[in-house]
Amino acid sequence: MATVLMCRRLPRLSRVTAFSTTAERKAERGSSKSKKEKRDKPGAAKTGTELRATIQLLKPQDYRVLYNPAAYAKGRAGSQQHVDRDSSPALGDASTSPGTAQALQTIPSASSQALPPVRSALPKPKSNTLLEQTVLATLYKEGAEKEKWEAHNSKEDPRMFQKGRPEYRSLSCDSAEPAQTLPAEEGDSILQSVARCEGSPGILTDYFLKLSRLPAERCAALVSDPRFGALCHHAVMAIRLFSTPDLIQILKACVPLAVPASHPLIDACEAEFCRRAWDMGLDQLLLVADCWRCLDRSVPSYLGILFSYANLHWKDLTLPQFVQLLYIIGEGRRSPADLAQKVESTILKHLDAFTLEELGAICLGLFKSLSGISDHVMRRIADRVSLQMEDMSTYALVNVLKMLRYTRMDHLPLMRELGRVIPARIPTTNIQGIMHITLTYSSLHFFDEDVLAAVATSLPSKVPYCRSKDAAKFLWSFGCLDYEPPNEEEFYSSLIKQLHAKLHEFSKFPEHLLTALLGLAFVKRFPEELVDFALREEFVQKTRGSKYELKKDLFTLGKSIEIECPNYQGSRLPPQLCQEFTEMILSFAEREIYVRPEIVEATSLLESMLGGPEYVKNHMILPHTRSSDLEVRLATDGHPIPFNFKDPVAAKKLKDMGVSLTDDLMSQLLQGRAHSQSPVEVGNEARIPRQETGDTAATPCLGGALSAGAKSHLEPKAGRWQPREVRLALQVSNRNHFCYGSKRLLGLHCLKRRQLRLLGYVVVEIPFWEWFPLLKRTRSEKLSYLHYKVFCPALLTRPG
């Protein structure tokens, strides 16, 4: 009932910053040269004008997400979308029949109160029924065509690599093999003769092969025919009398006949093939494994035998046998540990001989089976793909990106070529492919505005095809990269609407809702009904049963609402739960964050410069943002104010740790991974200013957001906030806080700095590209740098 009530309420979307002029938004978020170039392009002016006009019309307190009926018009006639086997099962994926689409239209969105129904977008002359029928027929035809290329056929797409070599015909069960269709009358004649059949294996095999050539609609009704049941019974009784080739032919015939995976004949075949496996050849073993895949039959025992057999005969594997084996490994979601090293050596051996589709199949098999792969092998695969990407299908390319993401490989040539090739393909890529492309960029922290803009432009019309997982990953990816596209209102409103439509799925997959809401929070959007649902006690209990660790995400969401939406009246996290999460995060910080050499060094130097450990505190001002701050307080005359009296021992402990800044350690700090590129070489767009004044008068807030003097239990409790006191939050950042090879802050760190300013802090950046090189310089140079950062005159001129 809670879900039903949720859907009937009119959602509100809180934005934490008031809408202002374009100039003010640029000042707040930083200006990007690439964004300016976008606005200067032909055709971009109209979009920008419309967006500015919309912003001027909105009032912060009554903010509603805009709605575009045309974005959904073509999707009304869509029907059941196939489940992507590469992702979590049982997601209730995108059922978009006409009735379902109409139901989606009636679910309240963030602006449903003032919106016309979708049907109003269509011409409906009252007196012209024929015209109306013509329009609707055209609409349904378009929807059916769109569904056809949107739908992801999980049994055929992963097998496209088999079309590239004739050798795969003996290794796979190709349901598309041309065969002369059997007349229905002959099928009836065969079934009539079953009663007189004496169970001869040859005759039974011939019957199955002939019946498998019946038209598809006739095959569908065959399984329930008692005469076909009798035929299967005869086959089961004679199962050991069949030769291995005949038994394989029967199993292959079961695929077009659509025999259920739980059928007694299938049970008998599995037991018999397990018994015979060691007497079969590798081609036969792989063919039978492919039949199980086509029948959707889980056969762990058989696969175990197949993998053991392959391990013993590894040197004899041909290239097609190797690729087919990896395909089977992926579909079985099993990764034999003893094959890992052999797989890598074989990939390197045949790397130049693989077709591009085979490379995609290999990566998909490794990804689905969660198989580890070395950086060296992944880099070699990426090297080849980056040189031939234009000749590669989008499906195979997406599979390579999945493995690239899994191995956390920052392969710059591939990503640059991807940014050149993929935007033009986005409109004709299915929704799950687009999701994986987008997720690759966010997972690798790689910002490419052309790709993200292409995704944002194409996505609203495809949103009805989104599973809850897809919608969540899109929102997370755009929020993680802190990117709001030119069509941001249409983009976000369509995805938030889909979250409401998929609300019933979040009880089973709570991680998807939290992923989506955090992505929205990064870009200052808080759909209040969804937040209320996520913070309810019953949903919090659901998160405890998830296979993922969701405590930190809940904590970040709950505390962000407290700071950025003071007028929010919905559910909140219980104080005891917040205390539990805080202790968990602080415990981690003491072990992993506070002791980092760059932070320890800055803390020690600040203590020396300011007069002792009571003048600086290394802690988390906002534990829910999961990174540390060096807090310093200054009077308006520039003198530091002592405040850290509660834990001098901890400060002394940090000071006396004596971390040795060796050449090796400095090399890691300055260069990251050996193949990483210097951010200065890759890009110079400055997403953060040198100093952020934190002037609350210059920071527009929504609905009375917390001012500098507001009380909050998130504030440090040691010392009181003096009327004209300046509190500095020094951010000793590292490269993981920024997009790859740039100075563009990631969404979580944008959220943190925004919330610090809302609480009245002055955010002072000590960016890694300035601080890390100084760690090898003299003490006086480091002190001089920190002195400039702390005592910059601009900090003391803010209004009191």
Side-chain angles (χ1 to χ4, degrees):
M1 287 302 294
T3 302
V4 175
L5 289 173
M6 186 67 187
C7 291
R8 290 180 61 85
R9 293 175 57 192
L10 291 177
R12 291 174 52 222
L13 184 76
S14 295
R15 285 297 296 269
V16 298
T17 51
F19 288 101
S20 57
T21 64
T22 304
E24 286 174 322
R25 286 176 62 82
K26 285 175 64 178
E28 178 190 352
R29 295 173 54 80
S31 60
S32 169
K33 180 180 178 181
S34 59
K35 289 188 177 182
K36 182 178 186 300
E37 292 172 350
K38 289 286 180 184
R39 289 194 295 272
D40 292 341
K41 286 183 180 179
K46 182 178 179 181
T47 303
T49 302
E50 291 175 351
L51 182 59
R52 287 194 295 273
T54 301
I55 290 174
Q56 291 166 1
L57 289 172
L58 290 173
K59 296 180 180 180
Q61 292 83 357
D62 298 319
Y63 175 79
R64 300 185 189 282
V65 176
L66 299 182
Y67 173 76
N68 182 7
Y72 299 91
K74 292 185 179 180
R76 295 177 59 215
S79 61
Q80 179 69 33
Q81 183 182 4
H82 293 275
V83 178
D84 183 3
R85 298 185 60 82
D86 154 29
S87 53
S88 302
L91 284 174
D93 296 5
S95 171
T96 322
S97 63
T100 306
Q102 186 174 358
L104 287 176
Q105 295 162 14
T106 62
I107 294 176
S109 72
S111 58
S112 56
Q113 187 176 23
L115 297 176
V118 172
R119 294 179 185 272
S120 66
L122 302 174
K124 291 186 62 177
K126 295 182 180 179
S127 59
N128 196 336
T129 305
L130 180 61
L131 177 60
E132 178 182 352
Q133 291 175 348
T134 303
V135 171
L136 289 175
T138 303
L139 180 65
Y140 275 84
K141 183 179 179 181
E142 290 175 352
E145 291 175 354
K146 183 173 183 178
E147 173 207 350
K148 188 174 181 179
W149 62 259
E150 277 280 8
H152 180 82
N153 190 324
S154 61
K155 287 190 178 181
E156 291 185 2
D157 277 351
R159 302 160 65 84
M160 288 301 295
F161 70 93
Q162 296 172 350
K163 311 298 181 186
R165 299 180 192 270
E167 294 91 335
Y168 287 112
R169 293 176 186 171
S170 64
L171 306 177
S172 61
C173 177
D174 188 355
S175 59
E177 287 180 353
Q180 184 177 1
T181 303
L182 187 75
E185 297 78 11
E186 188 172 344
D188 287 333
S189 174
I190 291 173
L191 293 173
Q192 291 290 351
S193 63
V194 168
R196 303 188 301 273
C197 177
E198 298 179 358
S200 167
I203 295 176
L204 291 175
T205 302
D206 186 57
Y207 282 172
F208 274 100
L209 290 177
K210 287 182 177 179
L211 290 174
S212 69
R213 290 163 36 209
L214 285 170
E217 62 275 7
R218 184 73 179 87
C219 286
L222 198 62
V223 176
S224 59
D225 192 315
R227 296 171 297 177
F228 181 74
L231 177 63
C232 292
H233 177 71
H234 285 310
V236 171
M237 298 303 295
I239 196 77
R240 296 210 173 182
L241 301 178
F242 289 103
S243 67
T244 298
D246 282 349
L247 192 59
I248 292 175
Q249 290 301 316
I250 290 177
L251 189 64
K252 284 184 67 176
C254 288
V255 175
L257 288 171
V259 178
S262 58
H263 195 280
L265 175 60
I266 305 301
D267 292 339
C269 284
E270 181 186 354
E272 186 63 18
F273 278 120
C274 285
R275 190 181 69 83
R276 300 185 187 194
W278 289 103
D279 298 322
M280 295 164 61
L282 187 56
D283 279 12
Q284 292 178 320
L285 289 169
L286 289 170
L287 173 57
V288 170
D290 200 59
C291 290
W292 297 133
R293 163 72 182 93
C294 293
L295 289 166
D296 252 346
R297 171 87 173 191
S298 176
V299 287
S301 297
Y302 179 86
L303 291 182
I305 297 172
L306 168 62
F307 299 152
S308 297
Y309 187 102
N311 194 24
L312 288 175
H313 299 82
W314 193 265
K315 292 182 179 180
D316 302 326
L317 258 67
T318 64
L319 185 152
Q321 287 176 335
F322 171 72
V323 177
Q324 182 71 12
L325 177 63
L326 277 187
Y327 165 72
I328 295 298
I329 287 174
E331 296 306 309
R333 304 302 199 276
R334 292 189 57 190
S335 175
D338 54 348
L339 295 184
Q341 188 172 355
K342 293 180 179 180
V343 166
E344 288 202 2
S345 61
T346 306
I347 290 174
L348 293 175
K349 175 183 175 182
H350 296 297
L351 185 60
D352 294 331
F354 291 128
T355 67
L356 294 172
E357 298 305 308
E358 286 173 333
L359 272 181
I362 288 170
C363 287
L364 183 61
L366 294 171
F367 177 80
K368 285 186 174 182
S369 61
L370 301 179
S371 302
I373 186 173
S374 68
D375 285 358
H376 172 66
V377 174
M378 190 65 236
R379 186 164 295 280
R380 290 286 306 278
I381 293 174
D383 286 341
R384 183 173 171 205
V385 169
S386 64
L387 295 175
Q388 298 179 278
M389 190 177 295
E390 286 189 339
D391 301 325
M392 197 171 195
S393 73
T394 303
Y395 181 81
L397 178 57
V398 167
N399 291 336
V400 173
L401 295 182
K402 290 177 183 178
M403 203 59 199
L404 195 76
R405 188 176 82 231
Y406 182 74
T407 57
R408 306 292 297 176
M409 173 66 68
D410 51 342
H411 193 280
L412 194 57
L414 185 145
M415 297 304 292
R416 283 177 171 166
E417 183 68 6
L418 185 67
R420 188 183 67 84
V421 170
I422 207 64
R425 298 191 187 186
I426 292 294
T428 54
T429 302
N430 65 33
I431 197 69
Q432 293 176 24
I434 299 174
M435 182 272 285
H436 281 293
I437 291 168
T438 311
L439 189 58
T440 297
Y441 278 90
S442 65
S443 296
L444 299 179
H445 298 170
F446 201 96
F447 179 80
D448 188 312
E449 188 169 8
D450 289 337
V451 173
L452 296 177
V455 170
T457 301
S458 178
L459 191 62
S461 62
K462 299 171 181 278
V463 161
Y465 295 97
C466 280
R467 306 163 298 171
S468 58
K469 176 181 179 178
D470 299 323
K473 297 299 185 183
F474 281 122
L475 291 170
W476 168 264
S477 297
F478 276 68
C480 177
L481 296 173
D482 188 38
Y483 178 67
E484 295 192 71
N487 64 331
E488 60 180 283
E489 301 307 331
E490 179 190 27
F491 175 82
Y492 283 111
S493 64
S494 62
L495 285 170
I496 291 171
K497 181 184 178 75
Q498 187 69 355
L499 293 181
H500 281 277
K502 297 292 183 181
L503 199 63
H504 62 282
E505 295 181 8
F506 294 130
S507 293
K508 187 171 184 180
F509 302 100
E511 62 274 9
H512 296 337
L513 180 57
L514 291 179
T515 295
L517 292 178
L518 280 181
L520 287 166
F522 292 161
V523 292
K524 301 172 284 186
R525 292 175 183 265
F526 297 90
E528 293 186 15
E529 285 78 3
L530 294 174
V531 171
D532 173 68
F533 183 83
L535 297 182
R536 291 178 189 172
E537 182 179 355
E538 54 268 32
F539 185 84
V540 173
Q541 290 301 319
K542 292 283 185 183
T543 65
R544 294 183 180 273
S546 172
K547 62 181 179 179
Y548 301 100
E549 174 53 67
L550 301 178
K551 291 180 180 179
K552 293 185 292 185
D553 294 343
L554 270 174
F555 190 38
T556 301
L557 178 64
K559 289 302 179 184
S560 293
I561 276 287
E562 288 185 16
I563 296 174
E564 304 204 46
C565 300
N567 296 327
Y568 168 74
Q569 299 296 321
S571 303
R572 296 180 184 271
L573 291 177
Q576 63 273 19
L577 204 58
C578 292
Q579 182 63 29
E580 175 189 334
F581 294 165
T582 300
E583 291 174 358
M584 175 187 70
I585 291 173
L586 293 181
S587 175
F588 170 79
E590 289 174 357
R591 298 192 311 269
E592 303 290 340
I593 299 178
Y594 299 156
V595 296
R596 289 175 179 168
E598 66 273 19
I599 295 177
V600 171
E601 181 79 354
T603 304
S604 175
L605 289 168
L606 285 170
E607 290 174 356
S608 299
M609 182 177 75
L610 298 175
E614 64 271 18
Y615 290 92
V616 58
K617 186 172 184 179
N618 178 12
H619 67 137
M620 287 184 175
I621 299 173
L622 303 177
H624 65 276
T625 61
R626 313 169 203 171
S627 56
S628 68
D629 313 270
L630 297 181
E631 184 176 354
V632 173
R633 302 184 186 180
L634 301 177
T636 52
D637 61 0
H639 286 87
I641 301 173
F643 69 99
N644 186 24
F645 301 112
K646 293 192 68 174
D647 197 10
V649 176
K652 186 176 188 302
K653 178 182 177 182
L654 285 172
K655 182 177 180 180
D656 295 340
M657 283 191 64
V659 178
S660 300
L661 294 174
T662 63
D663 288 341
D664 181 61
L665 177 58
M666 285 306 305
S667 177
Q668 293 180 41
L669 289 172
L670 290 169
Q671 298 178 12
R673 298 173 71 176
H675 49 269
S676 295
Q677 189 165 346
S678 168
V680 179
E681 297 173 12
V682 179
N684 291 315
E685 81 257 32
R687 287 280 300 171
I688 57 172
R690 199 171 181 84
Q691 298 279 2
E692 297 189 63
T693 63
D695 183 354
T696 55
T699 306
C701 302
L702 172 67
L706 290 175
S707 63
K711 292 182 179 180
S712 170
H713 62 278
L714 293 170
E715 298 177 22
K717 297 180 181 179
R720 296 182 178 180
W721 201 310
Q722 301 300 324
R724 294 183 61 82
E725 178 181 87
V726 179
R727 289 194 177 188
L728 309 183
L730 283 77
Q731 308 297 302
V732 183
S733 61
N734 62 61
R735 66 178 64 251
N736 291 330
H737 295 178
F738 298 87
C739 292
Y740 177 85
S742 77
K743 300 175 183 178
R744 182 188 185 93
L745 275 171
L746 294 172
L748 177 62
H749 302 285
C750 287
L751 173 143
K752 175 186 176 178
R753 285 151 176 75
R754 185 173 73 236
Q755 292 180 3
L756 285 170
R757 291 195 298 271
L758 285 172
L759 292 174
Y761 282 88
V762 176
V763 178
V764 179
E765 288 291 341
I766 303 180
F768 72 92
W769 59 85
E770 294 177 358
W771 181 239
F772 284 11
L774 277 172
L775 293 177
K776 296 187 73 172
R777 307 295 288 271
T778 64
R779 178 180 175 85
S780 62
E781 287 177 290
K782 289 181 279 192
L783 286 171
S784 176
Y785 174 82
L786 292 175
H787 188 278
Y788 167 73
K789 286 289 185 178
V790 172
F791 295 107
C792 177
L795 301 179
L796 305 178
T797 59
R798 61 192 294 272

